[in-house]
Amino acid sequence: HRGSMFVLSTQQFQMLIDFNTTFGGIKLNNLLDLGAGDGETTLKMAPCFENIYTTEMSYTMQWRLNQKGFKYRIHYFIIKILF
Protein backbone atom coordinates (compact mmCIF):
# COMPACT_ATOMS: atom_id res chain seq x y z
CA HIS A 1 0.00 0.00 0.00
CA ARG A 2 1.30 3.43 -0.90
CA GLY A 3 2.20 5.39 2.22
CA SER A 4 1.72 2.45 4.60
CA MET A 5 4.50 1.23 6.79
CA PHE A 6 5.08 -2.17 8.29
CA VAL A 7 5.19 -2.11 12.09
CA LEU A 8 4.44 -5.70 13.07
CA SER A 9 2.54 -8.78 11.99
CA THR A 10 -0.40 -10.32 13.84
CA GLN A 11 1.86 -13.13 15.05
CA GLN A 12 4.45 -10.62 16.31
CA PHE A 13 1.75 -8.68 18.18
CA GLN A 14 0.42 -11.88 19.76
CA MET A 15 3.94 -12.74 20.89
CA LEU A 16 4.48 -9.21 22.22
CA ILE A 17 1.44 -9.37 24.51
CA ASP A 18 1.91 -13.10 25.18
CA PHE A 19 -1.60 -13.60 23.84
CA ASN A 20 -1.81 -17.39 23.89
CA THR A 21 -0.22 -17.91 27.31
CA THR A 22 -1.53 -14.90 29.27
CA PHE A 23 -4.97 -14.67 27.70
CA GLY A 24 -5.41 -18.27 26.55
CA GLY A 25 -6.04 -17.07 23.00
CA ILE A 26 -9.39 -15.60 24.08
CA LYS A 27 -10.20 -12.25 22.47
CA LEU A 28 -9.78 -9.20 24.67
CA ASN A 29 -12.59 -6.66 24.95
CA ASN A 30 -11.45 -3.36 23.43
CA LEU A 31 -8.63 -1.90 21.38
CA LEU A 32 -8.28 1.89 21.12
CA ASP A 33 -5.77 2.91 18.44
CA LEU A 34 -4.95 6.62 18.81
CA GLY A 35 -3.76 8.12 15.53
CA ALA A 36 -4.52 4.97 13.57
CA GLY A 37 -3.45 6.36 10.20
CA ASP A 38 -4.59 4.09 7.39
CA GLY A 39 -5.44 1.26 9.78
CA GLU A 40 -2.89 -1.25 8.50
CA THR A 41 -1.32 -1.74 11.94
CA THR A 42 -4.78 -1.82 13.52
CA LEU A 43 -5.66 -4.67 11.16
CA LYS A 44 -2.74 -6.68 12.55
CA MET A 45 -3.93 -6.24 16.16
CA ALA A 46 -7.66 -6.60 15.43
CA PRO A 47 -7.85 -10.44 15.59
CA CYS A 48 -7.07 -10.23 19.33
CA PHE A 49 -10.01 -7.94 20.21
CA GLU A 50 -13.81 -7.99 20.14
CA ASN A 51 -14.19 -4.22 19.57
CA ILE A 52 -11.80 -1.92 17.73
CA TYR A 53 -11.94 1.87 17.99
CA THR A 54 -9.66 4.28 16.18
CA THR A 55 -8.95 7.99 16.24
CA GLU A 56 -7.52 9.98 13.35
CA MET A 57 -7.36 13.69 12.51
CA SER A 58 -6.66 13.33 8.78
CA TYR A 59 -9.81 13.19 6.66
CA THR A 60 -8.01 11.04 4.10
CA MET A 61 -7.02 8.52 6.76
CA GLN A 62 -10.54 8.65 8.26
CA TRP A 63 -11.83 7.71 4.81
CA ARG A 64 -9.39 4.79 4.63
CA LEU A 65 -10.38 3.62 8.12
CA ASN A 66 -14.03 3.79 7.11
CA GLN A 67 -13.32 1.68 4.02
CA LYS A 68 -11.77 -0.96 6.27
CA GLY A 69 -14.83 -0.94 8.52
CA PHE A 70 -13.25 0.69 11.57
CA LYS A 71 -15.20 2.97 13.88
CA TYR A 72 -13.29 6.22 14.19
CA ARG A 73 -13.46 9.50 16.03
CA ILE A 74 -11.27 12.57 15.82
CA HIS A 75 -8.79 13.24 18.63
CA TYR A 76 -11.00 16.00 20.07
CA PHE A 77 -13.58 13.37 21.01
CA ILE A 78 -11.03 11.46 23.10
CA ILE A 79 -9.59 14.59 24.70
CA LYS A 80 -13.09 15.72 25.68
CA ILE A 81 -13.72 12.37 27.39
CA LEU A 82 -10.41 12.47 29.27
CA PHE A 83 -10.77 16.03 30.53
Side-chain angles (χ1 to χ4, degrees), residues 39-66:
E40 286 299 315
T41 301
T42 314
L43 281 173
K44 304 299 188 226
M45 298 183 287
C48 298
F49 297 89
E50 291 292 333
N51 304 296
I52 296 95
Y53 301 93
T54 61
T55 65
E56 183 53 57
M57 293 289 291
S58 164
Y59 292 115
T60 302
M61 294 301 134
Q62 289 175 13
W63 178 79
R64 288 186 180 179
L65 289 167
N66 188 47

Side-chain angles (χ1 to χ4, degrees), residues 5-6 9 17 28 33 51 70:
M5 61 182 201
F6 177 80
S9 68
I17 65 169
L28 304 172
D33 190 348
N51 304 296
F70 291 122

Side-chain angles (χ1 to χ4, degrees), residues 14-82:
Q14 289 175 342
M15 288 174 60
L16 179 69
I17 65 169
D18 201 15
F19 184 68
N20 291 321
T21 302
T22 303
F23 304 106
I26 298 170
K27 285 188 175 187
L28 304 172
N29 289 331
N30 300 304
L31 167 65
L32 173 60
D33 190 348
L34 301 172
D38 65 0
E40 286 299 315
T41 301
T42 314
L43 281 173
K44 304 299 188 226
M45 298 183 287
C48 298
F49 297 89
E50 291 292 333
N51 304 296
I52 296 95
Y53 301 93
T54 61
T55 65
E56 183 53 57
M57 293 289 291
S58 164
Y59 292 115
T60 302
M61 294 301 134
Q62 289 175 13
W63 178 79
R64 288 186 180 179
L65 289 167
N66 188 47
Q67 286 207 312
K68 292 176 180 158
F70 291 122
K71 304 166 192 162
Y72 67 87
R73 300 286 187 261
I74 60 170
H75 286 108
Y76 176 78
F77 175 78
I78 299 301
I79 291 168
K80 188 159 179 77
I81 289 172
L82 295 176

